[in-house]
């Protein structure tokens, strides 16, 4: 691949920083649901996505963990795996992985230069400029189809499904983890509307696996599958799972599907991870039974056990004990509130949280407040952050109904100072938890784990 673009002039992007700056510079174009720009971009490149096998993963929560299980098992079983996820926790390159390793900086620069003139061309047309996420998606497809050539690509949706940019692909199996209230400004504010968007990844004749539980969401997914002639594997019907035991080092669940029963150990914590792993297992069973994937039991079980996903009930410090969890919507908070007392013994719970300014924090707080002894409210460094004082106002409103009578509230907008307060308030028998937007989790994690080059973003 040369470092000149289509017009033959020198490549405009000379370094990794310039390439990332250019891609992130497209953020002001926002999230613009629709596939016209990505279709145009792919068409100009000769539709490279048609040469790849995708496992497409949608859902409100659990997408990242499901992708981690799939990637780990497929790699352990000897397959080359591409993994495209968002947002990233440490560095922009995290979202484009091949066999668990980030895209090399120089490859990202080469591919960005390939896309640069095409993006300019589309921007000058009536379609308008491709967005940051559209260019990132195109870059991922180019990386897998023209550089690394994986056997399978684990492909996470950005937002929703039907109009999400990632829906440009035709997968070999689709997964819808669950449906809950998130991004309601774009996806709709009823479960049926949100489920309809997620169900948009169901393609004609392509099997779909789902762990959705709400009757109204199940109905939408079932109807979509029937209309598309896609076989549906639904948790509780075609396959079941049951958590058998667990502690703060891992857990075991039983899986019973149409083809076999197994007991599976996982290291990811929380009951919800059994659901994510069971969904991944059912998808792997589809690949094994119908697409001739060779997945030996020993390797498969090792793959599940070794799967890891940053920022999800992840203990990053022992003295004091600090756990990170990127719960940022009501369902995530409900899961976190259920998991903490199950997994950890503690005298007091000290919670630090920061949020983006969208609208479901009241329901989030209703789930988590009853557990908290000391609440530290802060702000992520991000353009759409929620003001810590505003969050405190919301907590005060909910305090009489949901909080402990002696709840201590600390407002500290500077997240680094807030982290210092969390560390000093969390005594030996206590548990410190950092939760909320992944933009905050990313920075805290980098600080606590001494990683200095944390970038972050969607």
């Amino acid at each position: 691949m040369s470092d000149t673009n289509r017009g033959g002039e020198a490549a405009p992007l000379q370094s990794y920083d310039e390439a990332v700056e250019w891609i992130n510079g497209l953020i002001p174009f926002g999230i613009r649901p629709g596939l016209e720009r990505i279709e145009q971009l792919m068409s100009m490149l000769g539709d490279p996505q048609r040469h790849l096998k995708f496992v497409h993963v949608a859902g409100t929560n659990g997408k990242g963990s499901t992708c981690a299980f799939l990637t780990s098992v497929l790699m352990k079983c000897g397959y080359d795996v591409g993994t495209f996820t968002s947002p990233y926790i440490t560095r922009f390159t995290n979202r484009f992985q091949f066999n668990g390793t980030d895209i090399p900086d120089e490859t990202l620069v080469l591919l960005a230069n390939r896309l640069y003139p095409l993006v300019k061309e589309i921007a000058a047309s009536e379609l308008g400029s491709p967005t940051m996420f559209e260019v990132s998606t195109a870059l991922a497809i180019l990386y897998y189809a023209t550089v690394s050539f994986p056997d399978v690509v684990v492909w996470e949706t950005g937002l929703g499904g039907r109009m999400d940019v990632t829906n440009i692909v035709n997968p070999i199996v689709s997964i819808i983890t669950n449906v809950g209230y998130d991004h309601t400004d774009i996806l709709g504010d009823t479960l049926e509307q949100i489920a309809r968007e997620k169900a948009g990844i169901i393609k004609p004749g392509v099997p779909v696996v789902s762990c959705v539980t709400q009757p109204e969401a199940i109905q939408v997914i079932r109807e979509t599958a029937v209309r598309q002639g896609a076989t549906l594997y639904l948790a509780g019907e075609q396959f079941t799972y049951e958590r058998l035991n667990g502690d703060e080092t891992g857990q075991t669940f039983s899986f019973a599907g149409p083809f076999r029963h197994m007991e599976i150990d996982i290291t990811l914590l929380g009951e919800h991870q059994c659901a994510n792993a069971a969904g991944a297992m059912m998808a792997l069973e589809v690949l094994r039974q119908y697409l001739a994937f060779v997945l030996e039991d020993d390797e498969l079980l090792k793959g599940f056990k070794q799967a890891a996903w940053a920022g999800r009930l992840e203990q990053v410090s022992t003295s004091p004990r600090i756990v990170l969890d990127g719960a940022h919507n009501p369902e995530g908070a409900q899961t976190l509130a259920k998991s903490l007392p199950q997994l950890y013994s503690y005298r007091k719970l000290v919670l630090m949280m920061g949020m983006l300014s969208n609208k479901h924090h009241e329901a989030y707080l209703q789930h988590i407040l009853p557990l908290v002894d000391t609440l530290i409210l802060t702000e992520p460094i991000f353009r759409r952050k929620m003001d810590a004082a505003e969050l405190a106002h919301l907590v005060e409103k909910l305090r009489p109904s949901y909080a402990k009578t002696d709840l201590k509230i600390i407002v500290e907008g500077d997240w680094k100072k807030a982290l210092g307060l969390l560390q000093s308030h969390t005594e030996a028998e206590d548990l410190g938890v950092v939760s909320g937007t992944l933009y905050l989790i990313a920075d805290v994690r980098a600080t606590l784990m001494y990683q200095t080059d944390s970038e972050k973003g969607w």
Side-chain angles (χ1 to χ4, degrees):
M1 213 181 303
S2 78
D3 62 352
T4 57
N5 61 28
R6 273 212 316 185
E9 65 266 26
L13 309 166
Q14 294 297 322
S15 67
Y16 168 79
D17 288 339
E18 278 182 30
V20 173
E21 196 180 323
W22 170 62
I23 296 169
N24 282 334
L26 301 168
I27 284 175
F29 293 107
I31 295 165
R32 291 154 64 199
L35 299 176
E36 310 84 3
R37 288 172 302 280
I38 190 76
E39 281 169 353
Q40 178 65 34
L41 201 46
M42 288 298 105
S43 171
M44 291 161 112
L45 291 160
D47 286 313
Q49 75 279 9
R50 292 183 182 167
H51 305 296
L52 295 165
K53 291 187 174 78
F54 294 91
V55 176
H56 201 179
V57 182
T60 302
N61 295 309
K63 294 189 295 291
S65 302
T66 301
C67 290
F69 285 125
L70 291 165
T71 300
S72 182
V73 172
L74 288 164
M75 278 175 58
K76 204 78 200 154
C77 291
Y79 289 93
D80 286 331
V81 186
T83 313
F84 178 63
T85 53
S86 60
Y88 52 88
I89 290 285
T90 315
R91 203 166 183 267
F92 185 76
T93 51
N94 296 165
R95 61 167 74 224
F96 319 93
Q97 294 201 334
F98 176 69
N99 287 342
T101 302
D102 289 9
I103 185 174
D105 290 4
E106 58 276 16
T107 307
L108 185 133
V109 177
L110 279 171
L111 297 176
N113 277 314
R114 262 191 89 179
L115 291 167
Y116 188 90
L118 309 182
V119 169
K120 292 277 185 224
E121 209 172 306
I122 294 169
S125 76
E126 70 284 357
L127 290 173
S129 176
T131 65
M132 183 280 289
F133 191 63
E134 286 165 350
V135 173
S136 298
T137 304
L139 199 144
I141 288 171
L142 273 184
Y143 179 47
Y144 300 132
T146 68
V147 179
S148 55
F149 308 106
D151 299 307
V152 63
V153 180
V154 176
W155 191 243
E156 184 190 339
T157 54
L159 194 64
R162 182 177 66 93
M163 300 300 278
D164 186 72
V165 186
T166 62
N167 212 21
I168 183 89
V169 310
N170 206 44
I172 49 177
V173 60
S174 304
I175 302 175
I176 300 170
T177 57
N178 52 42
V179 171
Y181 293 100
D182 205 358
H183 303 296
T184 49
D185 50 334
I186 294 171
L187 303 180
D189 47 23
T190 69
L191 283 178
E192 288 96 331
Q193 286 172 320
I194 296 168
R196 195 159 289 118
E197 292 303 314
K198 309 281 182 200
I201 71 164
I202 300 173
K203 298 291 196 323
V206 176
V208 57
V209 173
S210 184
C211 293
V212 167
T213 54
Q214 306 95 325
E216 60 270 49
I218 288 172
Q219 190 183 344
V220 171
I221 289 168
R222 205 191 297 283
E223 286 169 2
T224 310
V226 168
R227 196 167 58 246
Q228 295 283 36
T231 307
L232 173 62
Y233 296 90
L234 187 66
E237 291 187 10
Q238 288 71 29
F239 69 102
T240 57
Y241 61 92
E242 185 186 356
R243 185 176 186 268
L244 301 175
N245 57 65
D247 57 26
E248 57 185 84
T249 62
Q251 54 188 335
T252 304
F253 71 97
S254 64
F255 171 88
F259 315 117
R260 57 178 171 166
H261 298 201
M262 292 184 96
E263 282 192 10
I264 298 172
D265 294 326
I266 56 176
T267 312
L268 286 174
L269 303 178
E271 217 169 288
H272 56 295
Q273 294 296 5
C274 295
N276 295 330
M281 177 63 189
M282 187 64 245
L284 290 161
E285 284 287 82
V286 169
L287 298 181
R288 192 176 71 93
Q289 284 294 122
Y290 299 119
L291 289 147
F293 275 63
V294 178
L295 308 172
E296 299 292 348
D297 289 5
D298 285 357
E299 277 72 33
L300 178 132
L301 291 170
K302 277 184 203 152
F304 270 108
K305 193 161 188 175
Q306 289 173 12
W309 191 236
R312 305 304 193 283
L313 280 171
E314 181 187 22
Q315 189 168 329
V316 289
S317 164
T318 49
S319 183
R321 269 192 313 165
I322 295 177
V323 169
L324 305 183
D325 191 80
H328 61 276
N329 53 31
E331 288 74 21
Q334 187 175 16
T335 300
L336 181 61
K338 188 176 176 184
S339 300
L340 289 172
Q342 269 182 357
L343 294 168
Y344 304 97
S345 55
Y346 51 85
R347 188 190 58 173
K348 288 188 169 177
L349 185 71
V350 185
L351 179 78
M352 167 178 158
M353 64 181 281
M355 290 291 198
L356 299 188
S357 56
N358 49 21
K359 53 187 172 183
H360 279 291
H361 302 327
E362 197 161 320
Y364 177 99
L365 288 162
Q366 286 168 2
H367 288 300
I368 206 76
L369 274 182
L371 277 72
V372 180
D373 296 286
T374 301
L375 181 64
I376 301 169
L377 300 171
T378 190
E379 296 168 10
I381 297 177
F382 194 67
R383 63 188 185 284
R384 289 186 289 119
K385 69 182 182 184
M386 185 167 191
D387 185 69
E390 202 182 322
L391 207 48
H393 179 70
L394 189 54
V395 172
E396 290 296 353
K397 191 176 100 176
L398 296 170
R399 184 200 270 263
S401 308
Y402 295 95
K404 293 183 179 181
T405 47
D406 57 351
L407 171 70
K408 183 178 180 184
I409 300 172
I410 301 169
V411 180
E412 174 49 77
D414 180 328
W415 72 264
K416 285 186 179 170
K417 288 181 185 166
L419 182 57
L421 289 167
L422 176 76
Q423 289 167 315
S424 61
H425 279 77
T426 306
E427 294 177 12
E429 313 87 76
D430 301 341
L431 182 67
V433 176
V434 183
S435 186
T437 172
L438 283 169
Y439 298 107
L440 175 66
I441 301 296
D443 279 336
V444 170
R445 188 173 187 273
T447 303
L448 292 176
M449 298 183 82
Y450 309 106
Q451 293 166 332
T452 52
D453 70 343
S454 173
E455 310 162 9
K456 61 187 181 301
W458 209 82

